[in-house]
Amino acid sequence: MSADAGIVIIGASLAGAKAAQALRLDHGYDGPITLIGDEPHLAYQRPALSKGYLLGTTGPGDLDVLKPQFYADQDVTLALGAPATALDLDARRVWLADGTEFPFARVLIATGARPRRLQVPGADLDGVCYLRNRDDSEHLAAALRAAGHVVVIGAGWLGSELAAASRTFGNHTTVIDPLPTPLYYVLGDQIGGLIARRHRDHGVNLLLGDGVEAILGTRSVEAVQTITGRTIPADLVIVGVGAAPNTELAQAAGLHVDGGIITDEHLRTSHPAAVAAGDVARHQHPRYLNPVRIEHWDNAAIHGTAAAATLLGEPTTIDHVPYLFSTQYGSTLEYVGLPTTWDRIITRGGHATYGFTAFWLDRRIPVAALTIDQWGAADHLRTLIATGHPADPQQLADPDRPLLNLLPNAPSPHRSLQPQQRR
């Protein structure tokens, strides 16, 4: 690597900031580092955008991935507010929308993802909102305060959180999703049904097994028409139907892209000068047959640290058990694993109450778990899943048997920060 060209990180994101931090503090890298971001903000934490920041309980400064002084103290060049528009990997150069050009020896692409857009008549009316960045969250918070009837399209993790937030603001709230339960593909009928019950218990009108035919209104949203013929009054519509990776820059540069930037288990792409990390990367995970793209805080943080090592020729295999957390109606849900199939679900504790845990098993092997309001359990659950060993269903279901004792000789998984530390 040229000592002068240094490292360019495209994406002032969690993964990008963690990579810069690891390069300087963990590896002692003293070459140039440039962090490029299309937003004017320093890298910030996104989970709070649908939680505390949206509700006004988390301040702007609390979102920072790194303290602002870090970048000056560690001589990290910031290029914010102008997206990268061209990348030449052979020439080792990147250009921004404002015409700025940066040379590099190695580049980390951490360009993240964007919301999938709703493709129905009326989707461009005023009052149709998406949530991805900090500005979106601020705009949505103001809209929720002024709204009376809110329709949330999509009952995944984001849609569920937005429905809970809407009810916190006191709005009449309807959720529309074509699947039979919230989070159906993740949780299945049984546990998805419990999530549905929590929504209904908090006054949410769930229209499941239905879809959106059109959004009605002249200039602004007035109602949502469903495929089954219902007309739902609405002065605000929030769309949460998934995210698409921002791969355009990478694809134009000639990288292998297929549902994300394809990488190996060390985040190396199809070009020796480029590494990819975070929401945009679809990496070969040793635990899974096919490459996976994971849109969670925990994955981005792990990717950023690992990418720094790979950039410096010290690659480590990324084999963590995926983890996410969600806050809804005053409860925290923690989910670990990424199952492609299961044949049995085991529960312990009262349904959807404090101490409730569910395990997804494939041939008696725990492949995923969900826990509600049980602090400290997630690390034990990750350890359990990391072993890949069969477990006794009766022991899993026994609330008097500590999780830690289920597999006492299991290896420790990557430890996460507790959700409250992520704001």
Side-chain angles (χ1 to χ4, degrees):
M1 178 185 298
S2 166
D4 295 326
I7 294 172
V8 165
I9 301 170
I10 304 175
S13 57
L14 172 62
K18 284 292 186 181
Q21 180 184 44
L23 285 167
R24 288 289 194 241
L25 302 185
D26 296 347
H27 299 280
Y29 175 70
D30 60 2
I33 299 176
T34 301
L35 185 61
I36 296 170
D38 56 358
E39 295 182 60
H41 311 295
L42 295 173
Y44 57 87
Q45 318 258 13
R46 292 186 187 272
L49 299 184
S50 57
K51 304 176 179 69
Y53 195 65
L54 180 65
L55 297 174
T57 59
T58 298
D62 296 325
L63 298 180
D64 291 336
V65 176
L66 302 170
K67 297 298 182 184
Q69 193 60 34
F70 168 87
Y71 303 99
D73 289 348
Q74 298 300 325
D75 193 24
V76 175
T77 299
L78 295 173
L80 303 177
T85 54
L87 176 64
D88 190 325
L89 293 171
D90 292 331
R92 307 295 206 271
R93 280 195 168 29
V94 60
W95 291 267
L96 309 188
D98 63 6
T100 307
E101 175 185 348
F102 291 102
F104 58 83
R106 301 294 299 278
V107 62
L108 168 61
I109 304 172
T111 46
R114 62 184 180 276
R116 295 189 185 278
R117 313 300 287 190
L118 192 65
Q119 303 295 323
V120 299
D124 57 349
L125 289 170
D126 289 342
V128 177
C129 296
Y130 296 81
L131 176 60
R132 178 63 187 177
N133 59 39
R134 178 172 151 178
D135 294 343
D136 292 340
S137 185
E138 293 170 2
H139 173 74
L140 184 56
L144 283 167
R145 291 189 188 97
H149 291 82
V150 175
V151 171
V152 178
I153 301 173
W157 292 112
L158 180 61
S160 291
E161 290 184 352
L162 293 174
S166 178
R167 290 297 297 136
T168 299
F169 282 102
N171 295 308
H172 296 282
T173 304
T174 298
V175 175
I176 302 173
D177 194 287
L179 298 173
T181 71
L183 294 156
Y184 177 76
Y185 288 135
V186 179
L187 305 181
D189 273 322
Q190 179 184 350
I191 308 303
L194 297 178
I195 302 300
R197 190 176 76 188
R198 289 172 69 88
H199 283 302
R200 291 189 174 109
D201 287 347
H202 285 86
V204 174
N205 177 29
L206 285 180
L207 299 184
L208 302 173
D210 204 349
V212 176
E213 181 72 26
I215 299 174
L216 308 178
T218 305
R219 293 185 178 179
S220 299
V221 170
E222 297 174 10
V224 175
Q225 181 179 328
T226 74
I227 291 173
T228 61
R230 297 181 176 100
T231 299
I232 312 302
D235 41 38
L236 177 65
V237 172
I238 313 172
V239 182
V241 292
N246 294 320
T247 57
E248 291 79 4
L249 184 72
Q251 190 162 11
L255 292 179
H256 183 196
V257 171
D258 182 9
I261 302 173
I262 299 297
T263 79
D264 67 6
E265 66 272 26
H266 309 300
L267 301 179
R268 294 179 295 210
T269 71
S270 56
H271 193 285
V275 171
D279 291 1
V280 76
R282 187 167 174 235
H283 89 275
Q284 187 62 57
H285 197 299
R287 296 184 182 278
Y288 306 105
L289 181 63
N290 297 313
V292 296
R293 190 177 70 82
I294 303 170
E295 299 172 3
H296 306 326
W297 181 98
D298 185 69
N299 185 73
I302 292 170
H303 270 204
T305 301
T310 297
L311 285 164
L312 298 178
E314 305 168 9
T316 56
T317 299
I318 302 172
D319 64 351
H320 65 293
V321 174
Y323 165 91
L324 68 84
F325 78 99
S326 176
T327 56
Q328 302 169 30
Y329 309 112
S331 290
T332 296
L333 292 72
E334 296 181 272
Y335 180 83
V336 297
L338 191 68
T340 55
T341 184
W342 65 81
D343 53 36
R344 187 175 183 183
I345 298 176
I346 301 294
T347 62
R348 65 159 63 189
H351 283 174
T353 62
Y354 178 84
F356 170 77
T357 303
F359 303 89
W360 283 257
L361 276 61
D362 183 14
R363 292 166 295 178
R364 294 172 61 98
I365 298 173
V367 292
L370 171 74
T371 187
I372 300 176
D373 290 337
Q374 196 172 12
W375 294 114
D379 280 335
H380 302 323
L381 295 172
R382 290 179 86 166
T383 299
L384 178 68
I385 293 168
T387 65
H389 293 162
D392 184 339
Q394 289 186 336
Q395 293 183 4
L396 292 177
D398 183 359
D400 295 325
R401 186 175 182 87
L403 292 172
L404 186 61
N405 294 341
L406 290 173
L407 288 169
N409 297 320
S412 296
H414 173 89
R415 286 189 63 83
S416 304
L417 296 175
Q418 289 297 328
Q420 64 265 38
Q421 294 176 278
R422 299 176 202 161
R423 310 191 193 284

